[in-house]
Amino acid sequence: MDLRYPIGPFDWKGSATADDRRRSIEAIERAPAALRAALAGLSAEQLDTPYRPGGWTVRQVAHHVPESHMNAYIRFKLALTEDQPTIKPYNESLWAQTADVGLTPIETSLAILDALHQRWVILLRSLAPSDFARTFTHPEYGKTYPLDWALAMYAWHGAHHTAHITSLRELMGWK
């Protein structure tokens, strides 16, 4: 198994059905509880273990997911309220190294994720099918993405990082 992609790399088929959207929204709704369960009972030493050689620590992953999903939520709001906005990229590797990542209890980030996903799911379920065709431009990649793509990407993203932790727990025999 490729430890970088325990559930496989993100695979966008180029379009989404109403059923695809429903499944992605449900995945986003489940993500906070799944991440919380994956982190349950881990010691400080375990939290500071990289999920793969050269990878982030479990603690960094725990803080990264809400940071990334906050950015995603804002990207959704921009795309819904502006005409093809250009989003602001951020350097997630540098964010993972800021002091708050090591000093903040993971429970704080889990609480952020709980509240953020509650609000995000309410927004997502309120959208008309045509809203998912709205777009934003990512200047780093020079591409324009529809919200359908972003919805699928972040449904995958939560499961992807949760699997980093659950795969490490299995590999290390952590109960």
Side-chain angles (χ1 to χ4, degrees):
M1 171 182 31
D2 184 345
L3 295 177
R4 293 173 304 162
Y5 299 103
I7 64 168
F10 176 64
D11 182 28
W12 171 243
K13 299 187 183 2
S15 64
T17 66
D19 209 40
D20 294 332
R21 288 183 198 112
R22 180 190 53 75
R23 281 192 302 273
S24 290
I25 293 167
E26 288 171 356
I28 287 171
E29 186 173 38
R30 288 189 308 269
L35 183 61
R36 187 178 290 282
L39 292 163
L42 293 179
S43 69
E45 182 181 344
Q46 290 167 328
L47 289 171
D48 291 327
T49 303
Y51 72 87
R52 68 175 172 85
W56 285 345
T57 66
V58 172
R59 183 183 311 278
Q60 287 173 308
V61 171
H63 291 298
H64 163 73
V65 174
E67 290 175 344
S68 176
H69 291 201
M70 282 188 281
N71 276 281
Y73 175 76
I74 290 167
R75 291 169 183 180
F76 266 79
K77 296 282 277 197
L78 288 169
L80 290 167
T81 61
E82 298 178 19
D83 187 30
Q84 197 175 313
T86 298
I87 57 98
K88 171 81 172 83
Y90 68 102
N91 186 326
E92 61 186 30
S93 294
L94 291 178
W95 281 39
Q97 296 172 35
T98 59
D100 61 313
V101 171
L103 298 172
T104 303
I106 61 167
E107 179 54 42
T108 302
S109 284
L110 291 172
I112 289 170
L113 194 67
D114 287 337
L116 174 65
H117 277 235
Q118 181 181 19
R119 179 127 178 228
W120 196 5
V121 167
I122 290 168
L123 173 67
L124 292 169
R125 287 191 172 137
S126 77
L127 300 180
S130 60
D131 291 327
F132 290 98
R134 295 189 61 90
T135 61
F136 61 80
T137 300
H138 198 304
E140 250 182 334
Y141 305 123
K143 291 184 178 179
T144 299
Y145 296 99
L147 289 182
D148 264 332
W149 172 89
L151 176 63
M153 164 59 92
Y154 285 96
W156 170 86
H157 186 262
H160 165 71
H161 283 303
T162 298
H164 282 146
I165 299 163
T166 57
S167 296
L168 178 64
R169 286 184 85 126
E170 185 176 317
L171 182 70
M172 301 296 281
W174 297 341
K175 299 293 177 202

